Amino acid sequence: MLLDVRSWERITQAIEFFDKQINRRAAKVTKLRIVNKLFESTEENVQELLQQSPDSFFDRDNISRPGEELMASMEQIKKKKDPETRRQEALLLIGQHMQASLAEVEEMSTHFYEDGIEQLKDSLKLRQLELLERWQGNKDATMFNIIEKLVESNRRKFP
């Protein structure tokens, strides 16, 4: 099923709603496809934006799957014998993953049934914060930078 909701808030609400309405043996949400882009809405283009087909974003071959790629790389690291090498390579890989820019369209696993909705909400909020930073002119914004800012902000509030 394709559900085009145009905001992370609506998708998390829809997941919770449908989870209560549909038996999990019949259907489960497992993946989301996300357009990591903010669209400028003006009086002149609002109808055009609303009528834009989701197929123009989602029916393509170049959809990024960063979570799957990260897990595949982690599996390779797990095969190494030396624990210190595994630890160092895993930390490096996670750092590189967090410092990478978001792809325009990506697919991600929800992990909703294992972790609940809050982890998914947090992940989607971080994406939105990165996009807002880019919208405001910070072209080098990454999830890593956003987390750094949040940690620093909390340090100032709670020394």
Side-chain angles (χ1 to χ4, degrees), residues 108-154:
M108 64 184 284
S109 297
T110 64
H111 304 289
F112 168 65
Y113 303 100
E114 301 85 5
D115 302 331
I117 198 72
E118 290 306 316
Q119 183 176 342
L120 179 60
K121 284 180 180 180
D122 290 343
S123 177
L124 295 172
K125 283 180 200 176
L126 284 170
R127 281 172 171 72
Q128 184 179 40
L129 288 171
E130 179 178 331
L131 294 172
L132 284 169
E133 280 281 320
R134 289 176 176 274
W135 183 269
Q136 294 170 350
N138 182 0
K139 301 296 182 202
D140 297 326
T142 64
M143 212 169 286
F144 185 79
N145 304 130
I146 302 304
I147 292 171
E148 278 183 327
K149 282 185 178 184
L150 292 172
V151 168
E152 183 58 35
S153 174
N154 281 333

Coordinates of all heavy atoms in Angstrom, one line a residue, residues 108-154:
M108 N 13.8 3.2 4.3 CA 14.3 2.9 5.6 C 13.3 1.9 6.3 O 12.1 1.9 6.0 CB 14.4 4.1 6.5 CG 13.2 4.8 6.8 SD 13.4 6.4 7.8 CE 13.8 5.7 9.4
S109 N 13.9 1.0 7.1 CA 13.0 0.1 7.9 C 12.5 0.9 9.1 O 13.1 1.8 9.6 CB 13.9 -1.1 8.4 OG 14.4 -1.8 7.3
T110 N 11.2 0.5 9.5 CA 10.6 1.3 10.6 C 11.0 0.7 11.9 O 11.0 1.5 12.9 CB 9.1 1.2 10.4 OG1 8.6 -0.2 10.6 CG2 8.6 1.8 9.1
H111 N 11.2 -0.6 12.1 CA 11.4 -1.2 13.4 C 10.3 -0.9 14.4 O 10.6 -0.9 15.6 CB 12.8 -0.9 13.9 CG 13.9 -1.2 13.0 ND1 14.3 -2.5 12.7 CD2 14.7 -0.4 12.2 CE1 15.3 -2.5 11.8 NE2 15.6 -1.2 11.5
F112 N 9.2 -0.5 13.9 CA 8.0 -0.1 14.7 C 7.6 -1.2 15.7 O 7.4 -0.9 16.9 CB 6.9 0.3 13.8 CG 5.6 0.4 14.6 CD1 5.4 1.5 15.5 CD2 4.5 -0.4 14.3 CE1 4.2 1.7 16.1 CE2 3.3 -0.2 15.0 CZ 3.1 0.8 15.9
Y113 N 7.6 -2.4 15.3 CA 7.1 -3.5 16.2 C 8.1 -3.9 17.2 O 7.7 -4.4 18.3 CB 6.6 -4.7 15.3 CG 5.6 -4.3 14.3 CD1 5.9 -4.0 13.0 CD2 4.3 -4.0 14.7 CE1 5.0 -3.6 12.1 CE2 3.3 -3.6 13.8 CZ 3.7 -3.3 12.5 OH 2.8 -2.9 11.6
E114 N 9.4 -3.7 16.9 CA 10.4 -4.0 17.9 C 10.7 -2.9 18.9 O 10.8 -3.1 20.1 CB 11.7 -4.4 17.2 CG 11.7 -5.6 16.3 CD 11.2 -5.2 14.9 OE1 11.0 -4.0 14.6 OE2 11.0 -6.1 14.1
D115 N 10.7 -1.7 18.3 CA 11.2 -0.5 19.1 C 10.1 0.5 19.5 O 10.3 1.5 20.2 CB 12.3 0.2 18.3 CG 13.5 -0.7 18.0 OD1 13.7 -1.6 18.8 OD2 14.1 -0.4 17.0
G116 N 8.9 0.4 18.9 CA 7.8 1.4 19.2 C 8.0 2.5 18.2 O 8.9 2.6 17.4
I117 N 7.1 3.5 18.3 CA 7.0 4.6 17.4 C 8.0 5.7 17.7 O 8.4 6.4 16.8 CB 5.5 5.1 17.3 CG1 5.3 6.0 16.1 CG2 5.2 5.9 18.6 CD1 5.3 5.2 14.8
E118 N 8.4 5.8 18.9 CA 9.3 7.0 19.3 C 10.6 7.0 18.6 O 11.1 8.1 18.2 CB 9.5 7.0 20.8 CG 8.2 7.4 21.6 CD 7.6 8.7 21.2 OE1 8.3 9.7 21.0 OE2 6.3 8.7 21.0
Q119 N 11.2 5.9 18.4 CA 12.5 5.8 17.7 C 12.3 6.3 16.2 O 13.1 7.0 15.7 CB 13.1 4.4 17.7 CG 14.5 4.4 17.1 CD 15.2 3.0 17.2 OE1 14.8 2.2 18.0 NE2 16.1 2.8 16.3
L120 N 11.3 5.8 15.6 CA 11.0 6.3 14.2 C 10.7 7.8 14.2 O 11.2 8.5 13.3 CB 9.8 5.5 13.7 CG 9.4 5.9 12.3 CD1 10.5 5.6 11.3 CD2 8.1 5.1 11.9
K121 N 9.9 8.3 15.1 CA 9.7 9.7 15.2 C 11.0 10.5 15.3 O 11.2 11.5 14.6 CB 8.8 10.1 16.4 CG 7.3 9.7 16.2 CD 6.5 10.1 17.4 CE 5.0 9.8 17.2 NZ 4.3 10.1 18.4
D122 N 11.8 10.1 16.2 CA 13.1 10.8 16.4 C 14.0 10.8 15.2 O 14.6 11.8 14.8 CB 13.9 10.1 17.6 CG 13.3 10.4 18.9 OD1 12.4 11.3 19.0 OD2 13.6 9.7 19.9
S123 N 14.0 9.6 14.5 CA 14.8 9.5 13.2 C 14.2 10.5 12.2 O 15.0 11.2 11.5 CB 14.7 8.1 12.7 OG 15.4 8.0 11.5
L124 N 12.9 10.5 12.1 CA 12.3 11.4 11.1 C 12.5 12.9 11.5 O 12.7 13.8 10.6 CB 10.8 11.1 10.9 CG 10.6 9.7 10.3 CD1 9.1 9.3 10.3 CD2 11.2 9.5 8.9
K125 N 12.4 13.2 12.7 CA 12.6 14.6 13.2 C 14.0 15.0 12.9 O 14.3 16.2 12.4 CB 12.4 14.7 14.7 CG 11.0 14.7 15.2 CD 11.0 14.8 16.7 CE 9.7 14.3 17.3 NZ 9.7 14.3 18.8
L126 N 15.0 14.2 13.1 CA 16.4 14.5 12.8 C 16.6 14.8 11.3 O 17.3 15.8 10.9 CB 17.4 13.4 13.2 CG 17.7 13.3 14.7 CD1 18.4 12.0 15.0 CD2 18.4 14.5 15.1
R127 N 15.9 14.0 10.5 CA 16.0 14.3 9.0 C 15.4 15.7 8.7 O 16.0 16.4 7.9 CB 15.2 13.2 8.2 CG 16.0 11.9 8.1 CD 15.1 10.8 7.5 NE 15.9 9.7 7.2 CZ 16.5 8.8 8.1 NH1 16.2 9.0 9.4 NH2 17.2 7.8 7.7
Q128 N 14.3 15.9 9.3 CA 13.6 17.2 9.1 C 14.5 18.4 9.5 O 14.6 19.4 8.9 CB 12.3 17.3 9.8 CG 11.5 18.6 9.5 CD 10.2 18.6 10.1 OE1 10.0 18.2 11.3 NE2 9.2 19.1 9.4
L129 N 15.2 18.2 10.7 CA 16.0 19.3 11.2 C 17.2 19.5 10.2 O 17.6 20.6 10.0 CB 16.6 18.9 12.6 CG 15.5 19.0 13.7 CD1 16.1 18.5 15.0 CD2 15.1 20.5 13.9
E130 N 17.8 18.4 9.7 CA 18.9 18.6 8.7 C 18.4 19.3 7.5 O 19.0 20.2 7.0 CB 19.4 17.2 8.3 CG 20.5 17.3 7.3 CD 21.1 16.0 6.9 OE1 21.1 15.0 7.7 OE2 21.6 15.9 5.8
L131 N 17.2 19.0 7.0 CA 16.7 19.6 5.8 C 16.4 21.1 6.1 O 16.6 22.0 5.2 CB 15.4 18.9 5.3 CG 15.6 17.5 4.8 CD1 14.3 16.8 4.6 CD2 16.5 17.5 3.6
L132 N 15.9 21.4 7.3 CA 15.7 22.8 7.6 C 17.0 23.6 7.7 O 17.0 24.8 7.2 CB 14.9 22.9 9.0 CG 13.5 22.6 9.0 CD1 12.9 22.5 10.4 CD2 12.7 23.6 8.2
E133 N 18.0 23.0 8.2 CA 19.3 23.6 8.2 C 19.8 23.9 6.8 O 20.3 25.0 6.5 CB 20.4 22.7 8.9 CG 20.3 22.8 10.4 CD 21.0 24.0 11.0 OE1 22.1 24.4 10.5 OE2 20.5 24.5 12.0
R134 N 19.6 23.0 5.9 CA 20.0 23.2 4.5 C 19.2 24.3 3.9 O 19.6 25.1 3.1 CB 19.9 21.9 3.7 CG 20.9 20.9 4.1 CD 20.7 19.5 3.4 NE 21.8 18.6 3.8 CZ 23.0 18.6 3.1 NH1 23.2 19.4 2.1 NH2 23.9 17.8 3.5
W135 N 17.9 24.3 4.2 CA 16.9 25.3 3.6 C 17.4 26.7 4.0 O 17.3 27.6 3.3 CB 15.5 25.0 4.2 CG 14.5 25.9 3.7 CD1 14.0 27.0 4.3 CD2 13.7 25.7 2.5 NE1 13.0 27.6 3.5 CE2 12.7 26.8 2.5 CE3 13.6 24.7 1.6 CZ2 11.8 26.9 1.5 CZ3 12.6 24.8 0.6 CH2 11.8 25.9 0.5
Q136 N 17.9 26.8 5.3 CA 18.4 28.1 5.8 C 19.8 28.4 5.3 O 20.3 29.4 5.8 CB 18.3 28.1 7.3 CG 16.9 27.9 7.8 CD 16.8 27.7 9.3 OE1 17.7 27.4 10.0 NE2 15.5 27.8 9.8
G137 N 20.4 27.6 4.4 CA 21.6 28.0 3.8 C 22.8 27.2 4.3 O 23.9 27.4 3.8
N138 N 22.7 26.4 5.3 CA 23.8 25.6 5.8 C 23.9 24.3 4.9 O 23.4 23.3 5.3 CB 23.6 25.2 7.3 CG 24.8 24.4 7.8 OD1 25.8 24.1 7.1 ND2 24.7 24.0 9.0
K139 N 24.6 24.4 3.8 CA 24.7 23.3 2.8 C 25.5 22.1 3.3 O 25.4 21.1 2.8 CB 25.3 23.8 1.5 CG 24.5 24.9 0.9 CD 23.1 24.5 0.5 CE 22.4 25.6 -0.2 NZ 20.9 25.5 -0.2
D140 N 26.3 22.3 4.4 CA 27.1 21.3 4.9 C 26.4 20.5 6.1 O 27.0 19.7 6.8 CB 28.4 21.8 5.4 CG 29.2 22.4 4.3 OD1 29.1 21.9 3.1 OD2 29.9 23.4 4.5
A141 N 25.2 20.8 6.4 CA 24.5 20.2 7.5 C 24.3 18.7 7.3 O 24.1 18.2 6.2 CB 23.1 20.8 7.7
T142 N 24.6 18.0 8.4 CA 24.4 16.5 8.4 C 23.7 16.2 9.7 O 23.6 17.0 10.6 CB 25.8 15.8 8.3 OG1 26.5 16.1 9.5 CG2 26.6 16.2 7.1
M143 N 23.3 14.9 9.8 CA 22.7 14.4 11.0 C 23.6 14.6 12.2 O 23.2 14.9 13.3 CB 22.2 13.0 10.8 CG 21.0 12.7 11.6 SD 20.2 11.2 11.2 CE 19.5 11.5 9.7
F144 N 24.9 14.3 11.9 CA 25.9 14.4 13.0 C 26.0 15.9 13.5 O 26.0 16.1 14.7 CB 27.3 14.0 12.4 CG 28.4 14.0 13.4 CD1 28.5 12.9 14.3 CD2 29.3 15.0 13.5 CE1 29.5 12.9 15.2 CE2 30.3 15.0 14.4 CZ 30.4 13.9 15.3
N145 N 26.0 16.9 12.6 CA 26.0 18.3 13.1 C 24.7 18.6 13.9 O 24.8 19.3 14.9 CB 26.0 19.2 11.9 CG 27.2 19.0 10.9 OD1 27.0 18.9 9.7 ND2 28.4 18.9 11.5
I146 N 23.6 18.1 13.5 CA 22.4 18.3 14.2 C 22.4 17.7 15.6 O 22.0 18.4 16.6 CB 21.2 17.7 13.4 CG1 21.0 18.3 12.0 CG2 19.9 17.9 14.2 CD1 21.0 19.8 11.9
I147 N 22.9 16.5 15.7 CA 23.0 15.9 17.0 C 24.0 16.7 17.9 O 23.7 16.9 19.1 CB 23.4 14.4 16.9 CG1 22.2 13.6 16.2 CG2 23.8 13.8 18.2 CD1 22.6 12.2 15.9
E148 N 25.1 17.1 17.3 CA 26.1 17.9 18.1 C 25.4 19.2 18.6 O 25.6 19.5 19.8 CB 27.2 18.3 17.2 CG 28.3 17.3 17.0 CD 29.5 17.8 16.2 OE1 29.3 18.6 15.3 OE2 30.6 17.4 16.5
K149 N 24.6 19.9 17.8 CA 23.9 21.1 18.2 C 22.9 20.8 19.3 O 22.8 21.5 20.3 CB 23.2 21.7 17.0 CG 24.0 22.5 16.1 CD 23.2 23.2 15.1 CE 24.1 24.0 14.2 NZ 23.3 24.8 13.2
L150 N 22.2 19.7 19.2 CA 21.2 19.3 20.2 C 21.9 19.0 21.6 O 21.4 19.4 22.6 CB 20.4 18.1 19.8 CG 19.4 18.4 18.6 CD1 18.8 17.0 18.1 CD2 18.3 19.3 19.0
V151 N 23.0 18.3 21.5 CA 23.8 17.9 22.7 C 24.3 19.2 23.4 O 24.2 19.4 24.6 CB 24.9 16.9 22.4 CG1 25.9 16.8 23.6 CG2 24.4 15.6 22.0
E152 N 24.9 20.1 22.5 CA 25.4 21.4 23.1 C 24.3 22.2 23.7 O 24.5 22.8 24.8 CB 26.1 22.1 22.0 CG 26.8 23.4 22.5 CD 27.8 23.2 23.6 OE1 28.5 22.2 23.6 OE2 27.9 24.1 24.5
S153 N 23.2 22.2 23.1 CA 22.0 23.0 23.6 C 21.6 22.4 24.9 O 21.3 23.2 25.9 CB 20.9 23.0 22.6 OG 19.7 23.5 23.1
N154 N 21.6 21.1 25.0 CA 21.2 20.5 26.3 C 22.2 20.7 27.4 O 21.9 20.8 28.6 CB 20.9 19.0 26.1 CG 19.6 18.7 25.5 OD1 18.6 19.5 25.7 ND2 19.4 17.6 24.8

